[in-house]
Amino acid sequence: MTIERYATDKPFPFADAVKANGFLFLSGQVSMTAGGEPLYGSVAEQTRRIMQSIDGTLTRAGVSLDQVVRVQVWLSDMKYFAEFNAEYRTWFSNGFPARSVTSSALAFGLDVEVEVQATAS
């Protein structure tokens, strides 16, 4: 099995993504600058920035959002569920991937984290 790692430019000990066995696994994304500084704002704004980052990482690996098969979402509070969903739904025009949502304290006191897995054929 070949493993391909897509290094991050952020000052953290993880890869942006790892391709293995026909799948692409992205690290969890929060709203932040390329240099790793948190970007706060509404849940919709954070979600938009995260999805833009995910789209960019997928593109770098030769994959599109249409190939995402599973999404894991963490919200700092489930009261943000509807606001998150309103922005999230705009990113998947060809049907939604499987998804789980849970609540947890998140890095830097942000409100949204998203992790995806995609096919990488």
Side-chain angles (χ1 to χ4, degrees), residues 34-115:
E37 296 297 320
L39 289 170
Y40 300 94
S42 70
V43 165
E45 291 167 334
Q46 289 180 50
T47 303
R48 188 174 311 111
R49 283 189 215 105
I50 291 165
M51 294 305 296
Q52 288 168 342
S53 178
I54 286 171
D55 189 41
T57 300
L58 292 170
T59 299
R60 188 171 71 148
V63 175
S64 74
L65 282 167
D66 289 339
Q67 292 168 263
V68 172
V69 295
R70 186 174 188 307
V71 177
Q72 173 65 50
V73 178
W74 292 268
L75 299 174
S76 64
D77 192 304
M78 290 305 283
K79 70 183 180 185
Y80 298 127
F81 189 71
E83 184 180 356
F84 167 80
N85 273 336
E87 176 62 31
Y88 174 85
R89 73 175 54 255
T90 68
W91 288 88
F92 295 98
S93 57
N94 292 323
F96 297 108
R99 186 184 86 179
S100 300
V101 179
T102 190
S103 62
S104 177
L106 299 175
F108 308 108
L110 290 162
D111 295 308
V112 182
E113 182 169 348
V114 179
E115 174 184 293

Side-chain angles (χ1 to χ4, degrees), residues 15-27 57 115-118 120:
D16 280 341
V18 174
K19 191 182 290 186
N21 207 23
F23 285 93
L24 185 68
F25 303 90
L26 272 65
S27 293
T57 300
E115 174 184 293
V116 306
Q117 292 89 44

